[in-house]
Amino acid sequence: MKIAILGAMPEEIDPFIVEIPTQIDYYAGNKFYKAEFAGHELFIAYSKIGKVNAAITATLLIEKFKVEALLFTGVAGALKDNFKIGELLYATKLAQHDLDISAFGHPVGYVPGNEIFVNTSKKLNKIAVKTAKDLGLTLKSGVIVSGDQFICDDDKKAWIAKTFGADAVEMEGASVAQVCSAFKVPFFIMRAISDVAGHKAEINYDEFMENSAKTSADFVLKMIEKI
């Protein structure tokens, strides 16, 4: 099976490249790493930050490299206080919090021809839950929303959480979800929590990124072994 592994930043895919021998294909201004693992053909890439970059890269993975499933891993900020820094969260559904034509009487996050939320793959989510159990890790589920903004204002966080019933916010997942849904490619999106709503915890971000990327990569590779 051809499986895509996607992150937004190089740090989020570096552990995969270290773990597995890869070859590189350059296309459309980006690098795509190819590897063999657990009987599958993997295509690994980082999109660069933001919804447009993520949508472009997801589309290329599907159209050019013909992947049959897509697994996204990265970091997100919690919108509710029931998360700890470093915890893993997978999306049950995603929406774009900055998509707004409410001036025309539509709900925020909606445009005609699309739903507000895009659901993730139940099959892949079930595999993830089993993987977490096998690894002895806590894996939570919830609603993740995306926008081309780094959200650090507490009032904005509260508005997003209330409007979408969202648990976490980031900058790519919902656009990847929309692409995969349009092409009918099953997808899974998991985020490590980098900051917690209502708290100003001090963390070494570089160290956090390295540790969370390694944990997430190990998790995803174990998932792939079960696919």
Side-chain angles (χ1 to χ4, degrees):
M1 185 177 185
K2 292 184 176 182
I3 301 174
I5 297 173
L6 182 59
M9 297 181 285
E11 296 89 343
E12 293 169 342
I13 68 164
D14 281 346
F16 296 103
I17 298 165
V18 171
E19 293 272 346
I20 313 166
T22 56
Q23 65 184 71
I24 303 175
D25 191 354
Y26 295 91
Y27 191 77
N30 210 342
K31 295 179 185 177
F32 295 85
Y33 298 85
K34 299 180 182 180
E36 299 288 336
F37 180 79
H40 299 289
E41 193 174 359
L42 306 185
F43 296 85
I44 307 164
Y46 71 92
S47 62
K48 300 184 283 285
I49 292 169
K51 292 192 298 177
V52 172
N53 285 324
I56 290 169
T57 309
T59 301
L60 289 173
L61 286 163
I62 294 168
E63 283 287 272
K64 179 174 174 57
F65 298 104
K66 309 300 180 186
V67 302
E68 300 161 273
L70 188 150
L71 311 179
F72 190 105
T73 179
V75 299
L79 295 172
K80 298 177 181 177
D81 60 8
N82 59 329
F83 291 98
K84 298 176 182 177
I85 291 175
E87 280 190 320
L88 298 177
L89 168 71
Y90 75 87
T92 55
K93 59 183 181 179
L94 300 102
Q96 298 178 62
H97 69 76
D98 61 347
L99 183 56
D100 186 355
I101 57 168
S102 58
F104 297 96
H106 297 295
V108 177
Y110 172 81
V111 293
N114 291 80
E115 301 293 333
I116 294 176
F117 293 99
V118 181
N119 295 318
T120 54
S121 166
K122 291 182 180 179
K123 180 179 179 180
L124 291 175
N125 292 344
K126 182 181 279 190
I127 292 171
V129 170
K130 177 67 165 59
T131 300
K133 184 177 180 181
D134 291 348
L135 292 173
L137 291 174
T138 298
L139 177 66
K140 295 184 176 181
S141 63
V143 178
I144 296 178
V145 293
S146 311
D148 285 318
Q149 306 162 357
F150 184 83
I151 305 298
C152 55
D153 178 77
D154 287 340
D155 290 339
K156 182 73 171 180
K157 286 183 177 181
W159 177 84
I160 293 171
K162 180 179 179 181
T163 301
F164 295 92
D167 297 282
V169 61
E170 34 87 311
M171 299 178 69
E172 297 85 21
S175 61
V176 172
Q178 187 170 337
V179 169
C180 290
S181 177
F183 285 103
K184 295 181 169 48
V185 170
F187 67 99
F188 170 79
I189 292 181
M190 183 176 73
R191 295 288 189 167
I193 298 300
S194 60
D195 59 273
V196 179
H199 297 272
K200 304 296 183 184
E202 294 293 331
I203 64 169
N204 182 318
Y205 193 75
D206 289 340
E207 183 179 340
F208 167 79
M209 279 293 297
E210 182 179 350
N211 292 337
S212 67
K214 180 66 169 63
T215 299
S216 297
D218 290 343
F219 187 99
V220 167
L221 291 176
K222 287 294 184 185
M223 269 189 72
I224 290 171
E225 289 177 354
K226 300 178 187 299
I227 294 176

